[in-house]
Amino acid sequence: MKQLLTNATLLTFAGPDGPRAGAAAGALGLIRRGAVLMDEGRIVAVGPADQVLKHPDARKGRIHDAGGRVAMPGFVDAHTHPVFAEPRLKDFELRARGKTYLEIAAAGGGIVSSLNGVRGTSERDLTALLQERAARFLACGTTTIEAKSGYGLDKDSELKSLRALKHLAAGGAIGVVPTFLGAHAVPPEYQGRPGEYLRFMAREVLPAVAAEGLARYADVFVERGYFGTAEAGEFLRAAKGAGLGVRVHAEQISHSGGARLAAELGACCADHLDHADDEDLGALKAAGTMACLVPGSNHFLGLGEMPPARRIIDAGVPVALATDFNPGTCPCWNMQEILAIAVTRMKMTPEEALVAGTVNGAWAVGLGKTHGALAAGMAADLAVFDCTDYRELCYWFGKNLAATVFKAGKVAHAATDLRL
Amino acid sequence: MKQLLTNATLLTFAGPDGPRAGAAAGALGLIRRGAVLMDEGRIVAVGPADQVLKHPDARKGRIHDAGGRVAMPGFVDAHTHPVFAEPRLKDFELRARGKTYLEIAAAGGGIVSSLNGVRGTSERDLTALLQERAARFLACGTTTIEAKSGYGLDKDSELKSLRALKHLAAGGAIGVVPTFLGAHAVPPEYQGRPGEYLRFMAREVLPAVAAEGLARYADVFVERGYFGTAEAGEFLRAAKGAGLGVRVHAEQISHSGGARLAAELGACCADHLDHADDEDLGALKAAGTMACLVPGSNHFLGLGEMPPARRIIDAGVPVALATDFNPGTCPCWNMQEILAIAVTRMKMTPEEALVAGTVNGAWAVGLGKTHGALAAGMAADLAVFDCTDYRELCYWFGKNLAATVFKAGKVAHAATDLRL
């Protein structure tokens, strides 16, 4: 069905040559009284309202009056771990009470508790949990998520996690870019044998993932105590061989070589980058690998330091922002909150943060040509927010200003009825 | 009209002797399958559902099934500055771009821009803005706010601000405890003459505030470059003489004597306390003066340090948590977010944070006997949240889980329809 959104303070993130990753200055594509005409899930026309309204189909469908509100592409959240059974509330309380990571693990917490949770939950129940969570993302203006497996860490549980994501995607409520993260951590069965575990993943699980078309990317957590660059590289090369794109959890806790590996393999994206040095950034820029920053996890862990966003931007590496939604280190599904943290604590400008959460997020998950910006022919994924100045999305915090969210040209969430 | 809320995971915050300030361990008053019967704005009965349902009036009104969700008293936000015209978006962007406080002030920003905004806005328009903002507080589960004037800083504008709050209160949508904060800063007209300004406030404005019954408290910002303890003490004594309670912005930026002054004057509450030392805490405890902590402003300003919540609790001073909602340092109306910051960054336990946002908040604004807890005879101000474990309110962040909010026994906000 045709839908027209009009009278919006529109951010298109598309320049005269269309959307491109990493643009910052002047990248908002602001149209003061803008309109978007949608049909069959795509944008038919976008521009100043007086021009779009001249389109022969402009008044043939449902009309929504944004009343001057900010409207823009739905957020593309480029890094999430949504396939888990239970929130880790016990770990959370223990950490508040001063317990260390090791003490929490000894009490049965940490990633092993999530692993047991996923292994003990059916594909059907995981799917239902994903659908509930997707509704929360959507209600905050996110229309596409990159979503990783990685709490199963055995063949059946990783495949089950990815199949649950496939069911979520098939429902169409939210866009899903599935990533196989069997290399999230070393499971208890392989304790002390990370290389052997990754070879098992490459030999036994990766072919099944590829054969069923369950993932678009493979990802590895490169870190001391997790996976070294040698075994991670071997695994990611196998993934590329199987037709998957690659991405890397890099330099989060220490400087471990993940960024250089990502660049070397031509990864789409290197994520976290808290401890990336200037050589790493040079390698990423040269390789065309983007940076995906997830400051929400630093915030939730109470860390004093944040990822070095300004240094990364100054090095010319395009930055995407993402939630890192997960039960251990970032129980937050709201991109508005991540943008607020990015401005407040990483000194990104509101404009840079908005670009990072939309057009750059889309490029960081391989969807830059179709998502994350508003241009004719692109996906009709839009969010309308209860504010008239785009900076408010980063300024007010602990809030959700999403008024109406369109996914593939249909109203997917409406807190405020804008229909004329 | 009678309303029954049943099948709730109920937090009453009331012990066998009723609610009291500062209780922490065991203070939740958790009832697994609880119910609350409300009538005429008050709680008629509260307890296990099977007992409450035996009340002869239990089925005479509307019945709401919480479906196991957490229900508790609405938040009492004990420190807000909601009477302003515009958000300070320009300051926010300049700070992100690395400008200092002085550079922002030179560009026309800072408190002076809020002052000009309030002076240039009519009482009617300020009231409308307050009503919009109150709806946002309510939608997040806050049913009572302490609300300060303090962006007018001349006679007419301070009175106008307090009258706008009176109109808000009269509407009944949200509870309002009005505080006269003419002593928020030294206005440009009195630059360099803080004592003279406060004497003017005491002589010319305070009597009008008292005569019209516009404020329950007076408050002073005791800080270098703002007001010293001598002039602040003189002003607050005049306020007490006029029948107002007193509260103090104390030890926020430096150790300036505000806490000791608050204790000396028997203030209800000393707020901020970032730089309070052990002697200060001893004085507060001895005086029965509570601590109101506002970590949201530290967060928004990107400060590494947080108020010393653990030291204050260990010193035996009851802690309330509040938003500090204001356009310069804390654009956040959501108490759930403040609780999450308190646990994550001040290492309060979820239980302590919930107590601090409800029963302690009520005591910190002089409403401990009627608000902030659930007991027969108390106000029927309740919030039902979309979670079944109370720790989730502090764990998920950047979210609003409020499903249904009751103010004075009426449904004031409903994101989820719980009616049977």
Side-chain angles (χ1 to χ4, degrees), chain A residues 31-319:
Chain A
I31 301 173
R32 283 281 166 207
R33 275 180 52 84
V36 184
L37 178 62
M38 310 168 239
D39 192 20
E40 303 283 335
R42 311 233 147 248
I43 293 170
V44 175
V46 55
D50 51 6
Q51 291 178 22
V52 173
L53 282 164
K54 288 179 190 157
H55 191 285
D57 291 345
R59 294 169 196 280
K60 287 191 180 159
R62 187 160 287 165
I63 301 179
H64 306 261
D65 185 345
R69 290 178 179 82
V70 170
M72 52 179 245
F75 293 116
V76 179
D77 187 344
H79 185 138
T80 83
H81 304 256
V83 196
F84 58 89
E86 293 289 333
R88 294 224 294 264
L89 297 169
K90 191 177 156 195
D91 297 14
F92 173 65
E93 179 157 9
L94 287 173
R95 197 164 55 237
R97 292 183 187 279
K99 300 296 179 194
T100 65
Y101 182 83
L102 287 176
E103 289 169 321
I104 291 169
I111 197 168
V112 170
S113 67
S114 293
L115 179 154
N116 290 331
V118 164
R119 290 184 181 178
T121 303
S122 70
E123 187 173 313
R124 185 191 179 122
D125 288 349
L126 283 177
T127 304
L129 285 167
L130 283 171
Q131 285 161 342
E132 280 176 28
R133 289 170 192 154
R136 290 184 162 173
F137 280 88
L138 259 180
C140 293
T142 297
T143 46
T144 300
I145 57 171
E146 185 264 13
K148 306 174 198 290
S149 68
Y151 292 117
L153 305 186
D154 64 23
K155 182 174 180 177
D156 289 349
S157 307
E158 285 297 307
L159 292 174
K160 176 174 69 179
S161 298
L162 290 168
R163 286 177 191 134
L165 285 170
K166 191 171 185 174
H167 302 316
L168 174 67
I174 197 164
V176 179
V177 177
T179 293
F180 172 40
L181 180 59
H184 195 192
V186 183
E189 299 82 0
Y190 283 87
Q191 205 53 56
R193 297 177 290 143
E196 198 178 324
Y197 172 66
L198 282 196
R199 283 189 292 277
F200 160 75
M201 278 280 135
R203 192 179 63 236
E204 299 289 333
V205 190
L206 186 59
V209 169
E212 278 190 52
L214 290 174
R216 214 172 297 171
Y217 291 95
D219 192 349
V220 180
F221 189 28
V222 176
E223 189 59 68
R224 288 179 203 160
Y226 292 79
F227 302 104
T229 50
E231 59 225 18
E234 189 185 329
F235 172 78
L236 290 175
R237 280 186 195 92
K240 285 181 78 168
L244 276 65
V246 299
R247 41 207 318 119
V248 180
H249 279 67
E251 327 300 354
Q252 179 183 358
I253 302 170
S254 68
H255 187 256
S256 315
R260 229 90 54 100
L261 178 66
E264 188 187 316
L265 295 175
C268 181
C269 195
D271 297 39
H272 284 283
L273 296 177
D274 295 62
H275 298 273
D277 64 20
D278 290 346
E279 273 186 64
D280 295 330
L281 300 181
L284 293 175
K285 180 172 163 59
T289 298
M290 293 182 69
C292 180
L293 305 185
V294 292
S297 49
N298 300 54
H299 168 73
F300 184 73
L301 293 174
L303 304 182
E305 295 294 312
M306 283 277 151
R310 287 252 61 86
R311 198 154 52 80
I312 297 171
I313 291 170
D314 291 346
V317 178
V319 168

Side-chain angles (χ1 to χ4, degrees), chain B residues 145-396:
Chain B
I145 57 171
E146 186 264 12
K148 305 174 199 289
S149 69
Y151 292 116
L153 306 187
D154 63 23
K155 182 173 180 177
D156 288 350
S157 307
E158 285 296 307
L159 291 174
K160 176 174 66 179
S161 298
L162 290 169
R163 287 178 191 135
L165 285 171
K166 192 171 185 174
H167 301 318
L168 173 67
I174 198 165
V176 179
V177 177
T179 292
F180 171 41
L181 182 58
H184 196 192
V186 183
E189 299 83 0
Y190 283 87
Q191 205 54 55
R193 296 176 290 143
E196 197 179 327
Y197 172 66
L198 282 197
R199 283 189 291 278
F200 161 74
M201 278 279 136
R203 192 180 62 235
E204 298 289 332
V205 190
L206 186 59
V209 169
E212 278 190 53
L214 290 174
R216 215 172 297 170
Y217 291 96
D219 192 349
V220 180
F221 189 28
V222 175
E223 190 58 69
R224 286 178 206 162
Y226 292 79
F227 302 104
T229 50
E231 58 225 18
E234 190 185 330
F235 173 78
L236 290 175
R237 282 187 193 93
K240 286 179 77 167
L244 276 65
V246 299
R247 40 208 318 118
V248 180
H249 278 69
E251 328 298 355
Q252 179 183 358
I253 303 170
S254 68
H255 188 257
S256 315
R260 228 89 55 97
L261 178 66
E264 188 187 317
L265 295 175
C268 181
C269 196
D271 297 39
H272 285 283
L273 296 176
D274 294 62
H275 298 272
D277 65 20
D278 291 346
E279 272 186 67
D280 295 331
L281 300 181
L284 293 175
K285 180 173 162 58
T289 297
M290 293 181 68
C292 180
L293 304 185
V294 292
S297 50
N298 299 55
H299 168 71
F300 184 73
L301 294 174
L303 304 183
E305 295 293 312
M306 282 278 153
R310 286 251 60 85
R311 199 153 52 79
I312 296 171
I313 292 170
D314 291 346
V317 178
V319 167
L321 283 167
T323 57
D324 195 16
F325 177 69
N326 78 76
T329 65
C330 197
C332 175
W333 53 72
N334 185 352
M335 283 288 285
Q336 298 166 57
E337 180 80 350
I338 303 303
L339 269 58
I341 292 173
V343 175
T344 299
R345 298 200 57 200
M346 300 201 300
K347 300 300 177 198
M348 290 176 71
T349 65
E351 185 169 352
E352 287 170 340
L354 285 158
V355 165
T358 53
V359 60
N360 282 5
W363 284 99
V365 299
L367 295 179
K369 293 182 180 170
T370 52
H371 293 73
L374 304 180
M378 293 183 76
D381 292 359
L382 278 89
V384 186
F385 295 100
D386 263 330
C387 60
T388 53
D389 187 313
Y390 64 84
R391 294 174 298 188
E392 292 183 64
L393 283 169
C394 309
Y395 167 81
W396 310 107

